[in-house]
């Protein structure tokens, strides 16, 4: 059998895999193969980040317009044009045509290999009978898949997953969403705005978005409630019945009504149920045993080298590592990984911070595009204390001129978690309209370990929502003298 040789083989053609391959061969004559069994561009491009934000943004614009005198009177009686919103979504996903991504790979010097990959030896990968050998490195970038809990009748009911929600073609009139995290909250938001009359969030715990500061989840729950979404806390699904479930295609209603039996022994009948109960690593059938590993998340060191594998040839980036399951963090890891592979291939030392992934430990930024938006980076107060840090928390309402000017009903809150020992920020959270653009300033301050005394000289422009930074510093000064 003919063996094809490449310097680097990357399994998984999403953003993390693309970046790892590109950085590993940049400015050299090294070769790379990018293996993908679905679409080059991965989950983010076709079923996650891009389509979800395309679905969420029109509702944000409409909400702002409705609360702007001189504009609200013109648009207040109208909702979204669902067909136009879906058409715009399809434009961003290119109708799930990955030809432009393949052209980018070709132009970058990356060979795209279609098929299912399996590790079959040291630096050896087999793709549907085709054997590829890596001279330097194999990178795992396979991501994660939706977790459907083992609830009696649930899997047989063919529930929606996040892919159905982002690829929606038929909007169910009655919808149950199982979960209270990012996917659940965002999907409930856009599906309600697209016309789902009765949306019920079934949340096992006592709050939404439990990995953020408590006030953020509370504000999102309040807004969902005002919009008519029912949020039921402390509620789980114990059984599901759907006699005529049918695989009608992604984004279409999968058969007739679904009856859910809930933990309080009540029942709920809906037209569709969306499962947003977490994700699991996509490593089944990947052949990790050939590298001495078991299925599951792939543990890596800060060079992104797989732990427990001799020879520094196997790497992993992105969600499959379990470190920071966000597209931008996967791409960050991939940049570090690619630079490490290039340096090792050229016999250069791994000196300097560019070869060490550190941000995914304690400087992870994230935005939840709900109403209100929730933007955060670093530790929450409870997480910082659990890590052993001596911290104080500063929290203020986002009550500044820029916020008032942006829309008449503006409400929001912001907080900083400050390490008392170093006088630096170790966490920040913002909840409010258009706060997504605030979080990068917090990220820079956190990564740069900028003391609060220096932040006094970072003067926010007036009148912008960024003026909340001054209010936070003023509040911290008041707390310090009390």
């Amino acid at each position: 059998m003919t063996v094809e040789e490449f310097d680097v083989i990357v399994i998984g053609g999403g953003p993390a895999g693309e970046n790892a391959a590109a950085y590993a061969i940049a400015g050299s004559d090294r070769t790379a193969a990018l293996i993908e069994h679905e679409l080059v561009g991965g989950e983010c491009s076709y079923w996650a980040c891009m389509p979800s934000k395309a679905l969420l943004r029109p509702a944000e614009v409409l909400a702002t317009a409705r609360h702007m005198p001189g504009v609200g009177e013109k648009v207040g009686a109208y909702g979204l044009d669902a067909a136009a919103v879906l058409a715009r979504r399809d434009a961003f996903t290119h109708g799930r045509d990955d030809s432009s991504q393949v052209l980018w790979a070709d132009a970058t010097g990356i060979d795209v290999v279609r098929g299912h990959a399996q590790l079959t030896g040291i630096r050896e990968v087999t793709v549907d009978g085709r054997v590829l050998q890596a001279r330097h490195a194999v990178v795992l970038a396979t991501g994660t898949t939706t977790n459907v809990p083992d609830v009696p009748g649930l899997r047989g009911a063919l529930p929606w997953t996040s892919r159905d929600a982002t690829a929606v073609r038929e909007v169910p009139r009655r919808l149950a969403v199982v979960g209270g995290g990012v996917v659940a909250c965002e999907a409930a938001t856009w599906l309600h705005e697209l016309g789902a009359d009765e949306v019920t969030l079934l949340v096992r715990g006592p709050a939404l978005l439990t990995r953020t500061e408590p006030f953020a989840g509370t504000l999102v729950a309040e807004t969902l409630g005002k919009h008519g979404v029912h949020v039921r806390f402390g509620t789980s699904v114990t059984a599901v019945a759907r006699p005529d479930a049918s695989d009608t295609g992604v984004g279409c209603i999968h058969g007739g009504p679904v009856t859910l039996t809930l933990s309080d022994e009540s029942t709920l009948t809906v037209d569709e149920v969306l499962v947003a109960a977490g994700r699991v690593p996509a490593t089944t059938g990947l052949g990790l045993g050939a590298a001495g590993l078991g299925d599951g998340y792939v543990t890596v060191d800060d060079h992104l080298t797989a732990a427990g594998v001799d020879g520094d040839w196997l790497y992993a980036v992105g969600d499959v590592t379990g470190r920071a399951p966000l597209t931008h963090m996967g791409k960050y890891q991939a940049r570090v990984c690619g630079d490490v592979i290039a340096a090792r291939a050229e016999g250069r030392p791994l000196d300097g911070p560019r070869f060490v992934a550190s941000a995914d430990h304690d400087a992870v930024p994230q935005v939840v595009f709900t109403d209100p938006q929730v933007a955060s980076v670093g530790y929450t107060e409870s997480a910082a204390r659990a890590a052993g840090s001596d911290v104080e928390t500063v929290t203020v309402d986002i009550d500044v001129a820029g916020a008032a000017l942006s829309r008449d009903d503006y409400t929001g809150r912001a907080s900083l978690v400050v390490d008392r020992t170093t006088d630096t920020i170790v966490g920040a959270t913002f909840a409010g309209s258009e706060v997504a653009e605030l979080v990068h300033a917090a990220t820079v301050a956190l990564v740069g370990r900028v003391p609060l005394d220096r932040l006094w000289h970072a003067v926010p422009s007036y009148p912008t929502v960024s003026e909340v930074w001054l209010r936070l510093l003023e509040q911290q000064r008041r707390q310090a003298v009390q």
Side-chain angles (χ1 to χ4, degrees):
M1 182 178 293
T2 301
V3 177
E4 301 172 64
E5 287 194 335
F6 296 88
D7 290 295
V8 181
I9 299 172
V10 179
I11 304 175
E18 291 174 326
N19 272 252
Y23 272 67
I25 67 173
S28 75
D29 61 359
R30 286 185 293 277
T31 58
L34 184 67
I35 304 169
E36 177 54 53
H37 74 279
E38 288 188 300
L39 297 174
V40 177
E43 199 79 12
C44 172
S45 298
Y46 306 103
W47 297 287
C49 313
M50 297 302 290
S52 66
K53 303 315 168 281
L55 291 168
L56 286 160
R57 182 57 181 163
E60 288 182 325
V61 173
L62 180 60
T64 299
R66 281 174 167 164
H67 294 92
M68 182 62 64
V71 180
E73 297 84 351
K74 300 293 184 181
V75 303
Y78 301 95
L80 296 178
D81 182 335
V85 171
L86 298 184
R88 183 172 184 267
R89 182 267 321 268
D90 292 343
F92 275 101
T93 59
H94 302 284
R96 290 195 285 282
D97 175 358
D98 67 354
S99 57
S100 63
Q101 300 271 28
V102 175
L103 287 173
W104 167 85
D106 289 342
T108 309
I110 300 168
D111 284 24
V112 173
V113 177
R114 303 279 190 178
H116 291 269
Q118 184 178 35
L119 290 172
T120 48
I122 297 175
R123 297 191 305 279
E124 182 183 275
V125 180
T126 299
V127 185
D128 298 335
R130 183 177 171 185
V131 180
L132 281 59
Q133 185 74 40
R135 298 183 185 92
H136 297 294
V138 174
V139 182
L140 307 178
T142 53
T144 57
T145 58
T146 298
N147 173 49
V148 179
D150 190 17
V151 173
L154 180 57
R155 293 173 184 171
L158 303 181
W160 273 16
T161 67
S162 59
R163 286 194 173 192
D164 294 284
T166 57
V168 56
R169 297 293 174 189
E170 299 174 354
V171 178
R173 188 181 70 81
R174 302 171 299 173
L175 173 71
V177 181
V178 180
V182 175
V183 173
C185 293
E186 288 189 346
T189 299
W190 79 66
L191 288 167
H192 174 71
E193 291 295 335
L194 286 174
D197 293 329
E198 300 176 17
V199 178
T200 304
L201 271 172
L202 302 173
V203 186
R204 183 173 56 184
L208 300 179
L209 304 174
T210 54
R211 295 187 179 183
T212 65
E213 295 289 4
F215 69 78
T218 298
L219 286 174
V220 171
E222 289 175 352
T223 304
L224 286 171
K226 289 177 182 177
H227 291 175
V229 174
H230 305 288
V231 183
R232 297 179 60 172
F233 294 112
T235 304
S236 56
V237 180
T238 60
V240 179
R242 190 180 212 174
D244 55 354
S246 176
D247 186 2
T248 54
V250 175
C252 297
I253 297 172
H254 294 168
V258 191
T259 299
L260 309 175
T261 302
L262 306 179
S263 52
D264 62 2
E265 299 185 357
S266 66
T267 60
L268 176 67
T269 299
V270 294
D271 299 304
E272 192 55 81
V273 55
L274 165 61
V275 176
R279 300 180 68 82
V280 293
T283 54
T284 302
L286 189 55
L288 293 181
L293 303 177
D295 287 341
Y297 288 107
V298 179
T299 303
V300 294
D301 62 19
D302 287 346
H303 297 311
L304 287 310
T305 313
V309 179
D310 294 334
D312 293 338
W313 62 272
L314 186 64
Y315 299 77
V317 296
D319 291 9
V320 75
T321 68
R323 285 170 60 132
L326 298 159
T327 295
H328 48 276
M329 296 311 297
K331 294 169 72 173
Y332 161 74
Q333 292 170 352
R335 293 191 292 270
V336 174
C337 177
D339 280 346
V340 168
I341 291 170
R344 284 175 169 165
E346 296 167 10
R348 293 184 280 114
L350 301 181
D351 294 335
R354 64 181 288 185
F355 301 111
V356 179
S358 57
D360 51 3
H361 292 303
D362 55 14
V364 178
Q366 180 175 15
V367 178
V368 186
F369 291 89
T370 44
D371 181 8
Q373 290 180 352
V374 177
S376 60
V377 63
Y379 289 112
T380 60
E381 178 184 8
S382 61
R385 294 190 188 281
S389 297
D390 177 19
V391 297
E392 67 169 321
T393 301
V394 182
T395 304
V396 300
D397 288 334
I398 304 180
D399 184 15
V400 295
L405 285 166
S406 69
R407 55 187 282 179
D408 275 9
D409 71 331
Y410 195 102
T411 57
R413 289 181 70 76
S415 72
L416 298 179
V417 182
V418 180
D419 188 306
R420 296 179 192 270
T421 303
T422 61
D423 195 40
T424 58
I425 296 169
V426 295
T429 301
F430 306 90
S433 299
E434 308 293 341
V435 296
E437 300 302 333
L438 294 179
V439 75
H440 191 61
T443 304
V444 172
L446 193 155
V447 173
R449 296 182 175 87
V450 181
L452 264 60
D453 278 351
R454 291 297 302 160
L455 284 180
W456 277 100
H457 302 284
V459 182
S461 299
Y462 180 88
T464 65
V465 181
S466 293
E467 193 182 359
V468 72
W469 276 95
L470 176 57
R471 301 290 173 256
L472 286 162
L473 294 175
E474 289 174 337
Q475 177 63 23
Q476 192 273 337
R477 183 173 64 173
R478 285 192 291 268
Q479 291 178 192
V481 298
Q482 288 177 352

